Amino acid sequence: MSSFKDQLQREVCVYTICDSTVSVMAGMSDTADELALRAYDSTTGASYLCQLSESALLQMQSSLTDQPDWASFFLAIHNAFHSGGVSVNRVEGRPVPAAAAAFSAAGADRGSNVASSLEVQCIGGVKGKYAVFILDYTADGQQRYIMEHLVRSHATYCHPKEFEQRLARLRTEEEAARAKRDGLDRELVALNENLTRNREKLKIYLDRKAELLATLGTHSTDNTDNLWKLIKEKEQKAVDENNQSQLANPLRDRRCKDFDPLLLRMIKSLYLSPEQCDSSSPADRVVMPFSQAELAAQVGLLDDKRAALWRALGTIDSWNFRVFDIQCAMSGDDYLSLSFQPNGGSLFVTLYALFCKNDFLHRFNIDEQVALNWISAVEAGYHGNPYHNSMHAADVLQITYFIIICGGLKKRCELSDLQVFAALLAAAIHDFDHPGINNNFHIKTSSHLATLYNDRSVLENLHVSSVFELMKNPAFDLLSSFSAAERHEIRDTMIEMVLATDMGSHGKYVASLKGKMQERSTFTKPEEQVLGLAIALKMADVSNCGRPLDIYLPWGAKVSDEFYQQGDRERNRGLDCSPFMNRLEPNLAKSQIAFMTYIISPFFEQIAELLPDMRFAVGLVEENKAYWACHDDS
């Protein structure tokens, strides 16, 4: 059954003349939510009006028709107007409004007095059924209003196609307006959520600040104007004497996060058996696996969070790997917890799982405690940015692994285990210490980092150099068991891969790949293998555009959030906002379509030529472009 408003808005206006002097019109009000009756009395020149809401009409619905629906009610009114069933009665007994009295005096030459109200009676189709509408005098003349609508109705009747086309255009505009309204509603929700999160983040930072100040203890007033000097002095006292690193430990005075021993034991048991491990070996210094029977029993006892994490880890070989689920299971949220993860987050879990899955600790005789220290410190070195955070690093890590193993790069380039190991390290650290602003911002503002790295791949140099500086501390020296030649190869591979993620160098790497493909290179020479690994990390870094929609959209929102924050900083500095970074002119759809059209699609097409097993990603990019084509937010 149609609602009152739906039925009202379907009805056309009806007209009649009563007593040859009073023109009456009934139809939808200008606000489209009330029934309006208008009348003009030609003998006195007076106008009358009433507008009735649904609640007011409910009282007279039953007096006009036996049917309880609004369609029957409006049909009865229409029939009354079209069949002469409408009559009027001037009400003289009511008090005449001042404006009406003045009008009556002005029209005294007509020999008529202005009635204060007009009763309009509509006779229903059922005997004894009628409704009376009371129209009050109004100073707003209704003659012109009635005539204009009558002429418009006549034109509609005589030229229906013209008005059908106009109606179709209006409906199209209505759909566009509704879609825009929905987009603005979603944006408002996102902004409110962002505001709430920022408030919570501010509280976390303030608490952290208070904690840091508390650790300083009492100090001389000589240092009050140089707080960082005091902090550095405190840090220097806390580290080992043989620590040569000049980089502050991201974990402060700790070496490893408070990881979940049961979880790590289960992860290791998924890939290694007790027979493959030796508690006296450095590679098994911290965790010994369960037997398969013990593991099955433990899985059955998992709580909801651990069970969700376990299910997510089961898809580590899938392109549909959901790092969000692991992050939420580890830290309770995929946003706020990224700034402070005392028990580790998605990067900690994902990298440890891949180390175990490929048995790298045993293969390279890596001290397990040092490995956990390194993973902890790297994850702690990521900031709580909306996008460039440790969860993004975990996502890129898993996709890099997928491209190498499942996508066929290892087979295509005949990669060694050492090269795969170096690639996973590069993926894990590729955005280490990212400040949430891009290279262009550093260069425009002549920041210290831009000066330090001569405006060349500013952030990428920061990421890789910071980690190698951190590794001068023996507690985090993941490569201590490797020979000098192996360390050199790993370092060169990591540097080349991380520097390749600078989008300013994108054209250079794409051209190199295209040239090698045209030359029909085997991709098995050392420099070609490194190029292949660099291309894999580059693809993983921008892979969101080629992921299923339920994974792609959350990442798209995080990218937009971080871009808008940079735009705010630029605006506050009096700089022009960088393209697609002005939150006052939201255009996520336009930016994403442009990025996919000009960067991602051609790049993924070339990768599909190198690795045919990756061609499915090209189709996903097209699906995501089609989504934004139907959800324009500009």
Side-chain angles (χ1 to χ4, degrees), residues 91-135:
V91 180
E92 307 291 351
R94 296 173 180 267
V96 179
F103 191 92
S104 177
D109 59 324
R110 302 190 185 189
S112 304
N113 290 324
V114 175
S116 61
S117 300
L118 200 66
E119 289 184 354
V120 175
Q121 178 176 291
C122 293
I123 300 175
V126 180
K127 186 175 180 180
K129 293 285 185 179
Y130 66 92
V132 177
F133 300 91
I134 306 298
L135 282 64

Side-chain angles (χ1 to χ4, degrees), residues 190-207:
L191 288 174
N192 284 332
E193 290 177 351
N194 188 36
L195 180 62
T196 301
R197 286 169 171 169
N198 285 339
R199 285 172 177 164
E200 294 176 2
K201 282 177 68 177
L202 178 61
K203 182 179 182 303
I204 291 173
Y205 292 148
L206 290 175
D207 291 344

